[in-house]
Amino acid sequence: MTAPPTGYHLLVPPGWRRFTADLEGKKQLIALASEKLKPLGRPDLDAEVRTMIEQQWSRLASLRADGVYMPGDDEDLPVTPMTLAVLRQVARPGTTFADRVQELARTAPTPIETPLGVVHRWETSERSMGELEGSSARIVGYGIPVPGERPDRGAVLLVSIPYPNDADREIVDALVELADTIAETFRWR
């Protein structure tokens, strides 16, 4: 019998950084965002971004996020407006990982046969409200089961691609393709 995996590998584009989904990771991201916003002279925007990070980190903690990947502070690379979170998941007793993925997706994921086993993929769009009205986000998820005899465990890769409502759809679709490519590099170790 093979030992269950203890971690994973994931390839991300050059210049991306991994933030831990804990207090330290949140502090690092807030510091990076504040540094980027400082030259704009907009403390109101800085406060809004801090609030958004606080809310997102609370949500990620409740979903048992392991890490958050996003473009870092390399000024020589193009900005890629997307974030990827890896969420370790355990299904409720008596249910499977596929059931847990369905709960998170809130839609019927598409099962895709891969060398890792069946990966459950879904895609949704969300329109922003309030101060962020006029923008949306494409959400792409991938449920990847842990190999072996425990059908209740796995990882969910959750990608968020924010964009203004008048964005070129081909660019948004290209970012979804990038998300698919990144997800294909996921391997248990």
Side-chain angles (χ1 to χ4, degrees), residues 85-101:
V86 178
L87 316 171
R88 301 249 186 156
Q89 297 293 300
V90 178
R92 289 187 321 274
T95 65
T96 66
F97 175 68
D99 296 328
R100 178 65 183 139
V101 169

